[in-house]
């Protein structure tokens, strides 16, 4: 089978999966007990007759099959219906500043964590048993086990309150009118540093440990011994011969993490008042905002499936041993 | 060795079944006497309420009432309690249930429907008629009398029990003045109009959550209220004592029957686009809400029959029934500009935000802040007293507290973590004020459940709610026990005698008192398992306690038993066939043969004897077979 047939087959599979998953997401969110009208209860604005009126307003008093047809129409026109909480098309709520904020935060912090995790992991494995290895192992275990909200609060206390170096909350300075795009970006970066550092620190531990483990296996291979024996400089052996093979599991892991990015980082976003997707989805789940949930679910599935598809294609292109089937 | 194995297994089985108490229990626990075994729902996200439920349950266990604590998702609790009414007890925080205006519509029989305000199923004819009377009473003294009596009925019958109320922390930078915070613990609309600092002209307020919609008719939370209260004006306002005061309407009159209200408007109010605010805008707003059946304002338009514009600055509203709380609801109603909204649908997602309030909508960055600027032509020339009002979104309470310490924000009202509070109090730049919030955390009983339908049982359980311990323990002192049905903040309507007259309302860990009440309610532990059974109430005769057991009675009983057993054994045709049917027959036989003896001991004896007989028979059989 050629590349073309393979691609066509995978695209058809993708569409079928999307349809299946969208039906599942319709069912599972409506299976959760309660409905959006309970939001008004928690806020204490319960007036007689109000909940029925709200259900009617949100179209929840329609029969389920009718709701499903409306949902299908909304899903495959990519509007996902009007959010119950925000009174706007769900897709506009998700594909907004919130998504950009989350992407900026998670891509930068995960990127930094991966780079530093690989560098430290490789070097630590090479220096196995030495002071550097033991101390960085210890640090990695401590970082890996710290809760992000605690790290966040400590960082805020230290760098914002005591030292006054960074702002406390938000993505830009409240009420400030930026003169040009550069000033805006500087302001944004200034706000980004603390939350991104917090996530980097937490993630670093995991990335480091994985790299170190695979690196230790790789170092034991014969070709490394051969390279050393024939007099290749140590640095070249470590970074060119060994590290290249050791980072492969990390790459796979990153591919799997892409979907996670779309579900955001609720805890970090809360501590730093970072207006992102995580809190949005959390609130939507809490208050049963079906359109937002369905849209988010759909996008996460879509991204995962497409990423999977692209990875497969890339593998096939890169590795001649892989066959299309 | 192997051939004795089945034998020993059988021996062990019979010994175990004989010695095991529960074996005898199902025989005796008569289905007609249900146990006092209940459950209580609490929202899982709030550790304080869950802990309160656990402490309550621990206390109840000591007097023989089992209460399982079920922490559940808030939505599950609402569904179970409000919609399905399938619960025993529940703990919830209800913002408005201790407000006087609530008294005409909660715990009344016509709200005992799915989704209604009476999930408890409380039915009291006097309470019902008082509620009806209250709805159509506009005389304050009379209202007070009615509400006082209604609180007494609740105190006496306790369908609900207040547990605690939390303190709201109000913190601001020193130098600011003009706050109106007394009422809810939150800032009233008067705050935005009066707040002042000689050295600053920008006032920065923390919003604990971003605005979700930018349509004032879709308001969902107190945080949105903050913004709408600054951009829009209302006909009347509520002062710090929760009494309506003139605002856009400088005066009003109400007819004898309380159905015709006439409002006289100030003549210099304008909208932010320069158009004057007139009676037709008021009439439009009310009609618009009614025509569109806007759910969030249902209490405002519910009783409106018609609205007439008398002249440019006089408007007359006719209601289809007397409505005591009409003014209070008008205090929440933004007056919309007719020339803008007449072409809009009511739930438009982004309507132009033009009001007549002291601040003009300027800018919003989603999730970050909302910026409002002073409206220079505000009809009250002395207001507002700052040039810029910024609502800054900070979702985490800890971070909000840090921002206050840093001087990044000027004002914050909400809850702060107790540990943070100490730091804030010692900060010389901050004024910290703790007030009783208006959220009321209470325990509700399902009056349809056996046992809980008895007033004495409910009173006994009330005695077991350790309110003080909840406040000092999980709440860490940031609150107080709620011994009321109307918050003491409503000085006019709060009946201070309730906790004195009905001591159970105060809660505590009064085991003796609770046990006494439970005994009086005819519940007792008749099968010795530590859990009380609910006995039927025999109006004339007090329940007879189980008599003392003495030896002669037992020997008599065993004599009688012998008869019963021989009678039984004739009925037992084959061992295997009837074993399952035996307990029923036995208890019948026992009940007939012997009354007045501890039946539990007796049946146990019978079972031991029968087991022994069967065992011996089996041993003989098996040995013969094996041989």
């Amino acid at each position: 089978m050629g590349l073309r047939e393979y691609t066509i087959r995978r695209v058809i599979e993708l569409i079928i999966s999307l349809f299946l998953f969208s039906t599942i997401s319709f069912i599972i969110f409506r299976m959760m007990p309660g409905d959006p009208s309970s939001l008004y209860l928690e806020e204490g604005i319960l007036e007689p007759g109000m909940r029925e009126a709200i259900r009617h307003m949100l179209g929840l008093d329609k029969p389920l099959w009718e709701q499903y047809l409306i949902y299908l129409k909304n899903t495959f026109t990519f509007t996902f219906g009007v959010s119950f909480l925000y009174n706007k098309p769900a897709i506009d709520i998700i594909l907004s500043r919130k998504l950009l904020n989350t992407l900026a935060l998670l891509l930068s912090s995960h990127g930094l964590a991966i780079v530093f995790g690989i560098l430290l992991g490789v070097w630590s494995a090479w220096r196995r048993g030495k002071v550097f290895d033991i101390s960085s192992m210890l640090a990695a275990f401590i970082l890996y086990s710290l809760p992000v909200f605690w790290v966040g609060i400590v960082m805020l206390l230290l760098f914002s309150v005591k030292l006054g170096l960074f702002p406390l909350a938000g993505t830009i300075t409240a009420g400030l009118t930026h003169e040009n795009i550069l000033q805006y970006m500087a302001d944004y970066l200034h706000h980004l540093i603390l939350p991104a550092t917090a996530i980097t620190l937490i993630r670093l531990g995991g990335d480091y440990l994985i790299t170190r483990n695979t690196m230790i296996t790789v170092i034991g291979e014969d070709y490394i011994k051969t390279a050393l024996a024939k007099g290749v400089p140590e640095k070249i052996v470590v970074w060119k011969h060994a590290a290249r093979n050791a980072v492969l599991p990390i790459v796979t892991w990153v591919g799997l993490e892409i979907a996670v990015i779309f579900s955001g980082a609720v805890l970090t976003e809360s501590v730093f008042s970072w207006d992102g997707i995580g809190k949005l989805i959390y609130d939507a789940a809490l208050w049963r905002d079906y359109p937002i949930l369905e849209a988010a679910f759909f996008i996460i599935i879509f991204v995962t499936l497409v990423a999977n598809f692209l990875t497969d294609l890339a593998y096939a292109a890169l590795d001649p041993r892989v066959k299309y089937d | 060795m192997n051939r004795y194995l089945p034998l020993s297994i059988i021996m062990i089985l019979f010994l175990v079944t004989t010695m095991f108490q529960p074996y005898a229990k199902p025989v005796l626990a008569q289905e007609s006497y249900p146990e006092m075994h209940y459950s209580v729902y609490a929202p899982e996200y709030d550790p304080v309420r869950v802990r309160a439920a656990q402490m309550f349950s621990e206390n109840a266990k000591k007097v023989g009432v089992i209460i399982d604590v079920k922490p559940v998702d808030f939505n599950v609790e609402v569904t179970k309690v409000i919609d399905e009414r399938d619960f025993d007890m529940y703990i919830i925080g209800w913002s408005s249930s201790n407000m006087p205006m609530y008294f005409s519509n909660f715990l009344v029989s016509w709200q005992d429907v799915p989704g209604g305000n009476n999930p408890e199923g409380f039915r009291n004819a006097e309470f019902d008629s008082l509620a009806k009377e209250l709805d159509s009473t506009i005389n304050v003294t009379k209202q007070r009398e009615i509400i006082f009596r209604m609180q007494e009925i609740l105190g006496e019958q306790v369908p609900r029990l207040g547990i605690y109320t939390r303190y709201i922390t109000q913190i601001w930078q020193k130098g600011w003045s003009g706050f109106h915070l007394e009422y809810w613990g939150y800032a009233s609309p008067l705050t935005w109009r009066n707040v002042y600092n000689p050295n600053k002209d920008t006032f920065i307020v923390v919003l604990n959550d971003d605005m979700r919609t930018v349509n004032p008719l879709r308001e969902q939370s107190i945080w949105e209220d903050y913004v709408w209260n600054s951009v829009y004006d209302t006909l009347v306002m509520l002062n710090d004592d929760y009494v309506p005061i003139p605002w856009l309407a400088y005066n009003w009159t109400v007819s004898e029957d309380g159905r015709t209200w006439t409002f006289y408007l100030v003549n210099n109010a304008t909208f932010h686009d320069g158009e004057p605010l007139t009676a037709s805008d008021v009439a439009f707003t009310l009609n618009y809400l009614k025509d569109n059946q806007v759910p969030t304002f249902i209490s405002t338009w519910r009783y409106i029959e018609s609205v007439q514009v008398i002249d440019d600055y006089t408007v007359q509203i006719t209601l289809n029934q007397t409505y005591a709380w009409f003014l209070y609801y008008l205090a929440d109603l933004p007056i919309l500009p007719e020339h803008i909204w007449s072409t809009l649908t009511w739930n438009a997602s982004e309507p132009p935000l033009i009001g007549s309030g002291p601040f003009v909508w300027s800018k919003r960055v989603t999730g970050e802040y909302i910026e409002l600027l002073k409206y220079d032509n505000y009809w009250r020339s002395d207001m507002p007293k700052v040039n810029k009002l910024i609502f800054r979104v900070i979702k985490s309470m800890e971070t909000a507290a840090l921002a206050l310490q840093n001087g990044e924000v000027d004002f914050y009202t909400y809850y702060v973590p107790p540990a943070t509070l100490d730091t804030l109090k010692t900060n010389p730049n901050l004024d910290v004020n703790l007030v009783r919030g208006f959220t009321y955390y209470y325990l509700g009983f399902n009056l349809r459940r056996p046992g809980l339908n008895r007033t004495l049982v409910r009173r006994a359980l009330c005695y077991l709610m350790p309110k003080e311990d909840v406040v000092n323990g999980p709440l860490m002192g940031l609150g107080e026990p709620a011994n009321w049905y109307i918050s003491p903040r409503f000085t006019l309507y709060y009946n201070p005698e309730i906790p004195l007259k009905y001591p159970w309302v105060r809660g505590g860990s009064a085991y003796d008192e609770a046990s006494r009440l439970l005994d009086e309610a005819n519940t007792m532990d008749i099968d010795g398992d530590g859990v009380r059974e609910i006995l039927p109430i025999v109006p004339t005769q007090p329940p007879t306690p189980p008599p003392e057991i003495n030896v002669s009675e037992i020997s008599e009983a065993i004599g009688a038993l012998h008869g019963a057993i021989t009678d039984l054994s004739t009925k037992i045709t084959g061992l295997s066939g009837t074993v399952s049917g035996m307990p029923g027959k036995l208890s019948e036989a026992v009940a007939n043969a012997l009354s007045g003896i501890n039946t539990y001991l007796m049946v146990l004896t019978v079972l031991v004897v029968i087991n022994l007989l069967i065992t011996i028979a089996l041993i003989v059989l098996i040995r013969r077979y094996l041989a």
Side-chain angles (χ1 to χ4, degrees):
Chain A
M1 208 190 324
L3 180 62
R4 225 188 90 181
E5 287 83 358
Y6 178 72
T7 314
I8 291 169
R9 217 189 73 195
R10 286 299 300 264
V11 168
I12 293 170
E13 276 175 18
L14 190 91
I15 292 167
I16 294 172
S17 318
L18 276 181
F19 182 77
L20 271 177
F21 279 122
S22 57
T23 307
I24 291 172
S25 84
F26 176 84
I27 295 166
I28 60 167
F29 292 129
R30 274 163 182 77
M31 267 168 61
M32 295 194 297
D35 67 53
S37 63
S38 56
L39 168 69
Y40 295 82
L41 289 178
E42 178 69 338
E43 295 290 345
I45 325 171
L46 176 73
E47 308 287 350
M50 195 164 138
R51 293 188 76 202
E52 289 71 35
I54 289 166
R55 284 205 186 105
H56 179 71
M57 174 178 94
L58 302 174
L60 294 171
D61 55 348
K62 290 188 178 122
L64 211 56
W65 61 267
E66 205 183 325
Q67 288 185 44
Y68 178 64
L69 288 183
I70 294 171
Y71 163 76
L72 276 188
K73 187 182 142 258
N74 287 335
T75 306
F76 289 98
T77 52
F78 295 102
T79 56
F80 297 99
V82 175
S83 156
F84 299 158
L85 290 182
Y86 305 93
N87 194 25
K88 267 189 190 173
I91 196 76
D92 293 355
I93 304 278
I94 289 183
L95 299 181
S96 64
R97 205 165 176 282
K98 286 180 195 291
L99 186 61
L100 288 180
N101 287 340
T102 297
L103 287 178
L105 176 65
L106 290 182
L107 289 181
S108 61
S109 55
H110 282 231
L112 282 175
I114 288 166
V115 170
F116 284 106
I118 289 175
L119 290 179
L120 288 173
V122 166
W123 196 245
S124 180
W126 191 251
R127 289 267 170 271
R128 191 178 177 189
K130 302 273 165 51
V131 179
F132 175 78
D133 179 41
I134 291 166
S135 52
S136 47
M137 274 276 276
L138 188 69
F141 275 122
I142 292 173
L143 284 177
Y144 194 55
S145 53
L146 286 180
V148 70
F149 54 88
W150 184 82
V151 173
I153 280 289
V154 169
M155 286 173 70
L156 282 177
L157 259 175
L158 194 65
F159 296 106
S160 301
V161 180
K162 291 271 184 263
L163 299 174
L165 290 176
F166 297 104
L168 269 171
T171 62
I172 49 169
T173 310
L176 183 75
T177 313
H178 300 90
E179 280 157 21
N180 52 42
I181 186 80
L182 279 179
Q183 201 197 4
Y184 188 92
M185 281 173 72
D187 193 20
Y188 194 89
L189 271 180
H190 191 207
H191 282 76
L192 179 66
I193 289 172
L194 278 191
T197 314
I199 299 187
T200 308
L201 283 179
I202 303 293
R203 302 285 320 188
L204 188 60
D207 293 345
Y208 162 85
L209 289 172
I210 287 185
T211 319
R212 186 181 171 278
N213 278 359
T214 39
M215 185 67 185
I216 283 173
T217 324
V218 171
I219 288 170
E221 301 275 339
D222 288 342
Y223 72 92
I224 301 290
K225 282 179 196 148
T226 315
L228 282 173
K230 73 182 184 190
V232 178
E234 190 185 319
K235 272 187 186 163
I236 294 183
V237 175
V238 176
W239 298 111
K240 274 203 158 164
H241 295 154
R244 273 196 178 182
N245 285 316
V247 296
L248 279 174
I250 290 267
V251 174
T252 319
W253 198 34
V254 170
L256 292 173
E257 290 275 296
I258 287 178
V260 179
I261 286 181
F262 281 84
S263 51
V266 184
L267 290 175
T268 323
E269 285 172 14
S270 301
V271 174
F272 293 97
S273 275
W274 192 264
D275 185 43
I277 290 289
K279 188 74 165 56
L280 177 81
I281 295 178
Y282 177 80
D283 282 347
L286 198 60
W287 300 120
R288 311 289 189 258
D289 193 350
Y290 305 141
I292 294 269
L293 286 175
E294 285 155 359
F297 200 75
F298 189 88
I299 290 172
I300 291 171
I301 288 165
F302 185 77
V303 170
T304 316
L305 287 176
V306 169
N308 231 324
F309 174 47
L310 290 179
T311 325
D312 284 357
L313 280 185
Y315 256 97
L318 289 173
D319 192 338
R321 285 171 300 177
V322 178
K323 292 269 188 324
Y324 307 114
D325 51 355
Chain B
M1 198 55 196
N2 249 353
R3 53 192 231 174
Y4 289 104
L5 197 65
L7 187 67
S8 34
I9 289 175
I10 289 167
M11 282 290 284
I12 290 166
L13 267 179
F14 274 98
L15 278 175
V16 167
T17 48
T18 316
M19 290 160 78
F20 221 94
Q21 275 203 357
Y23 182 76
K25 237 198 310 191
V27 180
L28 282 160
Q30 283 131 346
E31 289 87 60
S32 53
Y33 298 158
E35 282 197 324
M36 294 193 80
H37 192 144
Y38 303 109
S39 65
V40 55
Y41 286 116
E44 64 183 348
Y45 70 85
D46 181 5
V48 179
R49 274 175 265 176
V50 173
R51 187 71 197 114
Q54 286 167 348
M55 290 160 93
F56 175 55
S57 156
E58 284 154 20
N59 276 352
K61 200 173 178 187
K62 292 184 186 151
V63 296
V65 180
I66 302 294
I67 299 173
D68 300 328
V69 179
K70 289 189 179 166
V72 289
D73 177 87
F74 180 77
N75 276 283
V76 176
E77 184 166 350
V78 167
T79 311
K80 283 277 177 199
V81 175
I82 310 278
D83 295 337
E84 294 170 6
R85 297 177 295 164
D86 177 21
F87 65 98
D88 297 331
M89 295 171 223
Y90 69 104
I91 294 180
I92 217 164
W94 223 251
S95 312
S96 34
S97 57
N98 56 350
M99 289 168 68
M101 59 176 70
Y102 219 72
F103 268 66
S104 45
N105 243 323
F106 88 124
L107 292 174
V108 288
S109 59
W110 59 89
Q111 285 290 339
D112 184 10
V113 290
N117 280 342
N118 186 5
E120 283 84 354
F122 181 61
R123 296 203 175 232
N124 184 300
E126 192 192 351
F127 194 82
D128 281 2
S129 65
L130 285 170
K132 275 193 181 129
E133 200 184 337
L134 179 67
D135 219 9
S136 54
T137 306
I138 30 178
N139 179 311
V140 174
T141 328
K142 190 83 180 70
Q143 274 179 356
R144 179 187 156 98
E145 265 172 40
I146 295 171
I147 290 182
F148 262 51
R149 176 66 197 135
M150 289 175 89
Q151 291 174 74
E152 277 177 8
I153 295 174
L154 292 180
E156 193 193 314
Q157 300 285 328
V158 282
R160 284 181 184 178
L161 173 74
I163 305 173
Y164 65 92
T165 186
R166 284 171 80 182
Y167 287 142
I168 285 191
T169 328
Q170 306 170 331
I171 311 162
W172 58 88
Q173 304 286 346
K174 284 211 167 95
W176 286 97
S177 59
F179 293 100
H180 289 263
L181 305 163
E182 279 311 303
Y183 186 64
W184 307 109
Y186 296 111
S188 91
L190 288 169
T191 300
W192 319 123
R193 286 156 179 78
N194 285 303
V195 74
Y196 175 67
N197 185 338
N199 304 316
K200 284 190 179 167
D201 67 352
T202 304
F203 187 53
I204 306 179
V205 182
V206 176
L207 286 194
N208 245 94
D209 200 356
D210 194 15
M211 299 176 78
R212 297 208 178 98
T213 63
V214 285
N215 181 332
L217 300 184
R218 281 287 301 256
E219 61 158 305
Q220 291 172 7
S221 69
I222 185 78
W223 313 116
E224 285 170 20
D225 274 352
Y226 274 12
V227 180
W228 301 134
N229 290 341
S230 332
V231 176
Y232 290 90
D233 248 354
T234 51
L235 284 181
V236 293
M237 284 223 183
L238 300 176
N239 68 6
D240 294 352
D241 295 326
Y242 210 62
V243 174
I245 56 166
W247 202 254
L248 278 179
Y250 66 87
N251 194 11
W252 61 84
T253 56
V254 56
S255 67
E256 245 346 83
D257 62 358
R259 288 177 48 195
T260 312
W261 296 74
T262 314
F263 292 91
Y264 304 94
L265 310 183
V266 295
N267 59 10
N268 59 343
T270 52
F271 287 107
H272 298 155
D273 58 357
E275 293 281 324
L277 186 154
T278 63
S280 66
D281 291 304
V282 177
F284 167 78
T285 305
L286 288 166
N287 285 326
Y288 189 75
L289 295 182
K290 190 175 158 68
D291 294 346
N292 290 298
Q293 311 249 310
V294 177
T296 28
F297 288 90
I298 192 166
S299 295
T300 319
W301 55 259
R302 180 196 301 273
Y303 298 119
I304 290 180
E305 198 170 273
S306 64
V307 189
Q308 291 98 35
V309 178
I310 308 286
D311 62 46
D312 267 5
Y313 296 103
T314 313
V315 63
Q316 196 174 67
I317 303 167
T318 313
L319 305 178
N320 52 26
Q321 71 165 72
T322 318
Y323 187 26
W325 311 105
F326 189 49
L327 273 182
Y328 291 83
Y329 285 107
L330 284 183
D332 273 340
L333 175 74
I335 301 300
L336 305 172
E338 184 180 4
H339 60 279
I340 287 171
W341 281 83
S342 53
T343 55
L344 291 176
T345 55
W346 77 268
N347 62 359
S349 60
E350 281 174 55
L353 298 167
I354 293 183
S356 62
F359 289 95
V360 183
W361 179 271
S362 157
K363 193 161 77 170
R364 174 187 183 217
V365 180
T366 321
E368 303 293 330
Y369 66 92
I370 295 129
E371 184 188 82
L372 307 178
L373 298 175
K374 178 182 178 176
Y375 179 41
D376 292 323
N377 297 324
Y378 190 52
W379 64 276
R380 281 194 64 156
S381 52
D382 57 333
M383 292 174 182
K385 292 162 181 163
V386 290
N387 282 330
K388 215 190 240 186
L389 179 58
I390 291 178
F391 292 104
R392 186 168 167 200
V393 182
I394 301 183
K395 287 174 187 164
S396 137
M397 297 174 214
E398 287 86 354
T399 316
L402 292 178
L404 277 163
Q405 278 173 275
N406 246 12
E408 287 185 31
V409 294
D410 295 314
F411 175 62
Y412 174 71
T413 53
Y414 203 47
Y415 305 108
V416 293
T420 322
L421 189 63
D422 296 334
T423 328
L424 292 171
K425 274 183 179 161
T426 53
N427 189 317
N429 299 324
L430 297 175
D431 274 331
V432 179
N433 193 10
L434 284 180
V435 297
R436 194 187 282 136
F438 79 135
T439 304
Y440 174 69
Y441 298 88
Y442 71 84
L443 172 80
F445 298 104
N446 188 345
L447 271 62
R448 303 168 195 87
R449 290 283 191 261
L452 298 180
N453 53 4
R454 296 180 190 175
T455 312
L456 289 176
V457 170
R458 294 198 299 276
R459 286 180 189 169
L461 290 176
C462 289
Y463 269 125
L464 298 171
M465 176 57 82
K467 297 188 189 183
E468 295 279 350
D469 298 344
V470 172
V471 169
N472 296 326
L475 206 55
M476 301 178 92
L478 291 181
E480 63 184 88
N483 301 328
W484 57 72
Y485 290 94
I486 280 190
S487 169
R489 289 186 153 265
F490 298 91
T491 37
L492 195 61
Y493 300 106
Y494 163 65
N495 186 342
E497 303 216 317
I498 299 297
L500 306 173
K501 230 168 160 178
Y502 310 105
W504 47 84
V505 171
R506 292 201 298 267
S509 300
Y511 304 116
D512 297 345
E513 203 52 17
S515 302
R516 194 185 60 76
L517 283 174
L518 284 172
D519 291 346
E520 207 179 308
N522 212 13
T523 62
M524 64 184 64
D525 181 12
I526 52 171
D527 55 10
D529 63 351
V531 183
R532 286 169 185 266
E533 274 77 35
I534 303 159
L535 306 178
I537 292 176
V538 187
T540 46
Q541 206 180 322
T544 45
E548 298 287 315
I549 306 156
N550 61 48
V551 184
S552 63
E553 269 179 331
I554 288 185
S555 57
E556 258 180 64
I558 288 171
L561 243 179
H562 199 257
I565 291 165
T566 38
D567 182 36
L568 256 175
S569 58
T570 55
K571 288 177 189 167
I572 301 170
T573 46
L575 266 176
S576 56
T578 40
V579 167
S580 57
M582 269 168 63
K585 285 176 186 166
L586 247 181
S587 62
E588 232 179 76
V590 167
N592 291 339
L594 316 140
S595 48
I597 275 198
N598 189 326
T599 43
Y600 177 66
L601 256 183
M602 220 175 54
V603 174
L604 208 61
T605 324
V606 176
L607 288 174
V608 171
V609 172
I610 292 174
N611 272 355
L612 276 175
L613 288 175
I614 296 170
T615 317
I616 292 164
L618 281 173
I619 290 170
V620 172
L621 271 173
I622 289 165
R623 289 199 79 165
R624 190 164 294 171
Y625 171 73
L626 287 175

